[in-house]
Amino acid sequence: MDALQIHGGRPIEGVTRVSGAKNAALPILAASLLSPGTHRFRNVPRLSDVATMCNLLAQMGCTAKRRGGAVAIQVPPQVKPEAPYALVKTMRASVVVLGPLLARYGWARVSLPGGCAIGARPIDQHLKALEALGANIELSGGYVTARAKRLRGARIHFDMVTVTGTENALMAAVLAEGTTQLENAACEPEVVDLATMLIGMGARIHGIGTPIITIEGVPALGLADHSVIADRIEAGTLLAAAAITGGDVFVEGAPTAHLEAVLGKLHEAGCRIATSERGIHLKGPSRLRAVEVHTQEHPGFPTDMQAQLMAILATARGTSLVTENIFENRFMHVAELGRLGAQISVSGQTATVRGVLSLQGAPVMATDLRASASLVLAGLAAKGQTTVSRVYHLDRGYERLEHKLAKLGASVRRVHK
Ligand code: EPZ
């Protein structure tokens, strides 16, 4: 298994570029199941999760071809509407094939994703939405089998905001008979990007980006030809790297409009930030100031930036409070940050981060995607060498992060263990 070897203590400086958004690309690729033919996508990040989604589609009978940042998905008139456990267990987001398969083929058998490091992450809301649209749902042997002759429009109120739950419901409703209204729908930019692409395929959707989305079902859809939005979480992670190292970085293509809450916190912590339609420029202070942060659904502070913010607050002046409101177990990075000398205590859903003057490099282990990013950030600031093992977690959601950081002057290299 690969590891990243980091020699910290250097400010990172220069220009880097954000890649396409993982959490937009995954449902967007799955949406190609909604109509036969060749769908074309651009700005698709090179990530193991994207490769897993392409592999899943290939197992169903589709053909996925990549040329640079472009991916073409050829969908035959009939596919094998199944997502096996062997694949779903490696990427829970595979569950987003459920909605499109059911809408297009009237039948789908998808492995239950099971829990993961950050929480139980059930899919009850996904199933509630599909049942409301007329699907017959059967759970057995760790699989969901969903059947429906023709889905019918319905009014669906989500008990809590769910990103992929909203996406599954959206992709099922676009081919349903009649009108569907989603209430308490997710407003994340990645959901907006999916909906925008579906409209490009001929779907009739109103209210995207708001908690009330209305979908008028159509008999069939055309083909996708879409460029994936920039990854706000990767952009936030790169900006956090400049913040913790007292660096000076311009992130080209960073989506300012999707990062307001993150930029607000980085500014509050003492960073100087300039935004333009070309990207975001951040200069880190010699030492960050402590802040208080609560993760929330978009447009609030994103849970996917919580671990990264906690890492950079480890050396801030003062005591910070980090409250995780979305997932029940998203503090796996705390123990590993402690190995680098961070002073963090957890009580319930709140972590108290007492800023220390400096961190010391040590071997640490990644436990999940964003935790691995937080350990890299801490390693960039720590004195001496930090080795982050199990970076396969990182490769799920960051395209060549070590290359991007090395180009900005960081001493980081991948070692094969
Ligand atoms: C998406 O996961 C993202 N993944 C996650 O990013 C992100 O952290 C999360 O949204 C929240 O923003 C993708 O888009 C592929 P949820 P998702 O359904 O859809 C509970 C990353 O690091 N819930 O919005 O699975 C759930 O347990 C990943 O890139 C139910 O109880 O998250 C959680 O506590 C990690 N029942 C909360 O809702 C349901 O049926 C939000 O989950 C669905 C969700």
Side-chain angles (χ1 to χ4, degrees):
M1 281 190 266
D2 289 0
L4 290 189
Q5 217 163 59
I6 304 162
H7 287 273
R10 298 186 193 182
I12 63 168
E13 297 174 345
V15 179
T16 185
R17 182 158 188 76
V18 68
S19 299
K22 165 179 86 83
N23 290 348
L26 295 176
I28 278 171
L29 291 170
S32 53
L33 291 164
L34 287 164
S35 70
T38 300
H39 302 262
R40 300 190 186 285
F41 306 104
R42 293 172 300 284
N43 200 32
V44 181
R46 287 175 182 286
L47 303 170
S48 57
D49 271 8
V50 169
T52 302
M53 179 58 79
C54 290
N55 187 0
L56 175 57
L57 294 171
Q59 284 200 10
M60 291 180 189
C62 305
T63 310
K65 283 203 179 73
R66 178 185 275 276
R67 184 175 299 147
V71 170
I73 306 279
Q74 197 275 325
V75 179
Q78 192 52 44
V79 301
K80 184 182 171 205
E82 295 201 21
Y85 177 60
L87 263 174
V88 176
K89 74 178 178 186
T90 66
M91 185 184 67
R92 54 174 301 101
S94 311
V95 74
V96 294
V97 300
L98 195 51
L101 285 174
L102 191 58
R104 171 99 175 78
Y105 302 99
W107 190 85
R109 183 169 181 272
V110 173
S111 166
L112 280 167
C116 78
I118 63 177
R121 299 182 74 180
I123 60 166
D124 56 296
Q125 300 296 306
H126 301 233
L127 303 181
K128 167 183 162 179
L130 298 179
E131 276 182 325
L133 291 166
N136 173 281
I137 302 286
E138 189 194 319
L139 296 178
S140 71
Y143 277 78
V144 179
T145 303
R147 291 182 180 80
K149 279 215 176 8
R150 175 91 199 265
L151 294 174
R152 287 182 315 283
R155 186 163 162 245
I156 298 160
H157 183 93
F158 288 107
D159 299 342
M160 85 285 294
V161 173
T162 161
V163 171
T164 50
T166 301
E167 291 165 347
N168 253 331
L170 201 50
M171 291 190 278
V174 292
L175 290 179
E177 202 163 345
T179 301
T180 296
Q181 179 158 301
L182 305 182
E183 297 168 357
N184 203 19
C187 303
E188 273 65 9
E190 295 74 27
V191 179
V192 172
D193 201 30
L194 169 66
T196 304
M197 189 203 70
L198 291 170
I199 290 170
M201 292 167 71
R204 293 206 196 111
I205 305 171
H206 306 279
I208 55 178
T210 78
I212 310 272
I213 302 178
T214 307
I215 306 108
E216 290 157 50
V218 293
L221 288 173
L223 296 173
D225 184 351
H226 184 78
S227 187
V228 174
I229 54 170
D231 193 319
R232 61 194 168 107
I233 304 301
E234 186 207 15
T237 305
L238 291 165
L239 293 167
I244 195 171
T245 58
D248 182 343
V249 168
F250 182 74
V251 182
E252 243 179 326
T256 303
H258 301 160
L259 280 165
E260 295 299 349
V262 172
L263 296 178
K265 276 303 157 195
L266 290 172
H267 175 71
E268 199 182 320
C271 298
R272 285 173 49 201
I273 297 168
T275 62
S276 70
E277 71 287 342
R278 275 191 53 246
I280 300 173
H281 184 187
L282 183 142
K283 281 174 76 93
S286 52
R287 193 176 183 195
L288 291 165
R289 289 194 296 263
V291 295
E292 188 169 333
V293 67
H294 298 254
T295 64
Q296 292 168 321
E297 297 86 2
H298 193 73
F301 190 92
T303 175
D304 291 350
M305 275 298 300
Q306 179 257 105
Q308 297 91 308
L309 188 79
M310 188 186 291
I312 71 172
L313 293 172
T315 56
R317 184 193 319 279
T319 297
S320 300
L321 294 177
V322 179
T323 301
E324 172 56 58
N325 294 310
I326 306 294
F327 289 106
E328 68 269 27
N329 186 34
R330 202 169 197 174
F331 285 146
M332 305 282 279
H333 41 286
V334 168
E336 294 303 304
L337 289 172
R339 288 179 48 76
L340 300 172
Q343 298 288 315
I344 306 170
S345 60
V346 173
S347 166
Q349 290 302 104
T350 297
T352 301
V353 185
R354 262 174 288 284
V356 295
L357 262 179
S358 66
L359 298 175
Q360 285 69 44
V364 288
M365 188 173 75
T367 51
D368 60 84
L369 168 54
R370 305 304 173 182
S372 49
S374 81
L375 296 175
V376 171
L377 293 176
L380 291 174
K383 291 187 174 14
Q385 177 173 302
T386 296
T387 306
V388 181
S389 60
R390 300 193 177 183
V391 283
Y392 61 84
H393 289 292
L394 198 70
D395 296 338
R396 298 189 51 179
Y398 289 93
E399 186 176 39
R400 300 158 47 85
L401 184 63
E402 72 269 22
H403 295 278
K404 293 189 178 182
L405 292 173
K407 262 183 71 182
L408 293 170
S411 166
V412 50
R413 68 190 185 94
R414 183 176 289 251
V415 291
H416 305 290
K417 284 202 152 184

